Amino acid sequence: MEKQFAKELIEFIHESPTNFHAVANAKQELISHGFKQLFSGEAWHIEKGGKYFVTKNHSSLYAFEIGSGDIANGMKFICAHSDSPTFRIKPNAEMPTAGKYLKLNTEVYGGPIMYTWFDRPLSMAGRVMLRSLNPLKPATHFVNFDRPMMVIPHIAIHFNRAVNDQGNPLSKQKDMLPVIAMINETFEKDNYLLNLVAKEMNVKPEDILDFDLTLYEYEKGCIFGANEEFISCGKLDDLAMVHAGLKAFINSQANAKTKVLAIFDNEEVGSGTKQGAGSPILRTIVERIVFGLGGSQEDLYRAIHNSFMISADMAHALHPNYVEKHDPTNHPVINGGPVIKFNANQKYITDGDSAAVFATICNMAGVPYQKFVNHSDMAGGSTLGNILLSQMEMRGVDIGNPMWAMHSVRETGGVMDHAYVIKAFTMFYNI
Ligand code: ZN
């Protein structure tokens, strides 16, 4: 059973090469379970027991199932993010080199471990905007080349003998550009990429107005280890939490409290976009739910105050080769269960109160849990929780599954952990 969840996760990530695809797949899953899509620009008619979702920019998604009880008693939120570090293809990307090779000009998105992107077959996918009758609203389409298309070749060791020494720097502009083709006699440099995309989509090049295309590792994830205990896959941060949240959201029972699943975009670049956690979108949705059910302003304040949020973003497991980088007394390990994240300076929203709630949920679900704090001399990361709770004063906890190599093109997580967190999330929605 545990392995089945891990296999489903690998499949979900394979089908989700970009944030757009992840949201489209989540949307499909919701529709097939009877959820109805609402649109922000239209009037909402919501009722108790109703199952709804809304998307923003095709890259973030907010699903909610209205509970049978009084909305002022609060809601239950699980939040995660759809985006992962990658390389975005720049406008006018074609860069012929030495008259023989065609490179693509790219820009780094977020904080990838760039070394891990070398010498692997890469593909590209994303969103393509096509001409439509409404000048303010081009038609949105998605494309996924879904085959090996390019490589970022590393320099041979003979040209850089210091390559294995620490502190060997990489230039994002020089070292990281992928090669997509050899230039031959029939090669047409003008609009090469545009024509390629048009051909792939079976549309006319002149109908393509613009696109958001990013690279991804072509090879699919896998389960590995002598006892098949590990998951090797790209984008575990944070699609593992998206997948677990979605699974729990759909499989949990209808409840007295309203259940919410929020999948934000742009966490990797600070969340400050219209589809990111820094925007007022989640609060707006909460208001529309409360007022849509006939609640008052007073009910809204009570609903927010009485709610609880799980901010779910992956966590660092103790690294076997760098034990000294971790906190001396807190050592979360892979397959030891979900990790509650603490930070004295409140980069995480967890406090004793909210940690106690999550620990109780894990106990009720029969799932182990662990605790993470940074080594006090390390800066550590941040996530969605405190950005969201600074807009809505509800209680909340930051958690995530333990993993190695966060932001590598190929990260490692635990088979058991994925099953554990799905169980814990399901319990949270059910209580
Ligand atoms: Zn993350």
Side-chain angles (χ1 to χ4, degrees), residues 155-390:
I155 191 168
I157 196 160
H158 313 83
F159 295 113
N160 183 4
R161 297 279 181 190
V163 69
N164 294 323
D165 298 344
Q166 259 207 340
N168 185 29
L170 289 174
S171 157
K172 291 171 184 165
Q173 187 63 71
K174 177 177 169 60
D175 295 310
M176 302 310 298
L177 301 185
V179 177
I180 189 166
M182 293 294 298
I183 296 174
N184 54 30
E185 311 79 59
T186 59
F187 177 77
E188 292 168 34
K189 183 197 161 288
D190 287 343
N191 291 327
Y192 176 84
L193 188 62
L194 186 79
N195 290 331
L196 197 66
V197 173
K199 199 171 155 213
E200 187 68 19
M201 297 178 67
N202 228 344
V203 299
K204 290 194 211 106
E206 56 271 28
D207 286 340
I208 298 180
L209 298 169
D210 216 324
F211 45 67
D212 302 299
L213 291 177
T214 52
L215 309 187
Y216 69 94
E217 189 207 15
Y218 173 69
E219 200 189 331
K220 195 174 174 177
C222 64
I223 294 175
F224 77 102
N227 302 304
E228 300 196 307
E229 58 266 71
F230 301 111
I231 302 170
S232 170
C233 194
K235 301 190 281 286
L236 290 176
D237 173 15
D238 193 28
L239 292 188
M241 291 297 104
V242 169
H243 180 258
L246 186 64
K247 198 108 191 118
F249 183 74
I250 285 170
N251 293 342
S252 53
Q253 306 142 12
N255 199 268
K257 289 201 175 190
T258 294
K259 306 185 292 184
V260 182
L261 176 71
I263 301 165
F264 294 92
D265 193 8
N266 302 129
E267 190 276 340
E268 299 294 354
V269 292
S271 298
T273 62
K274 65 189 181 305
Q275 60 276 357
S279 82
I281 185 157
L282 188 58
R283 189 188 168 102
T284 304
I285 289 168
V286 168
E287 291 184 15
R288 291 181 81 164
I289 292 172
V290 173
F291 298 146
L293 290 168
S296 64
Q297 191 75 34
E298 181 75 1
D299 290 326
L300 172 67
Y301 298 143
R302 288 175 58 204
I304 290 175
H305 176 84
N306 289 328
S307 291
F308 193 91
M309 177 184 290
I310 295 178
S311 158
D313 201 354
M314 294 297 273
H316 304 298
L318 180 75
H319 194 295
N321 298 340
Y322 302 95
V323 173
E324 74 284 359
K325 299 261 184 202
H326 295 263
D327 180 69
T329 62
N330 291 281
H331 285 168
V333 293
I334 284 182
N335 288 323
V339 176
I340 307 174
K341 307 176 191 175
F342 293 85
N343 179 254
N345 297 310
Q346 300 301 300
K347 276 191 177 171
Y348 299 129
I349 52 179
T350 313
D351 54 21
D353 164 58
S354 61
V357 171
F358 190 75
T360 305
I361 290 163
C362 287
N363 288 336
M364 290 171 74
V367 161
Y369 61 90
Q370 316 180 77
K371 294 180 177 178
F372 173 87
V373 269
N374 285 311
H375 182 292
S376 300
D377 297 329
M378 304 275 167
S382 62
T383 180
L384 304 160
N386 58 358
I387 295 171
L388 291 166
L389 293 206
S390 48

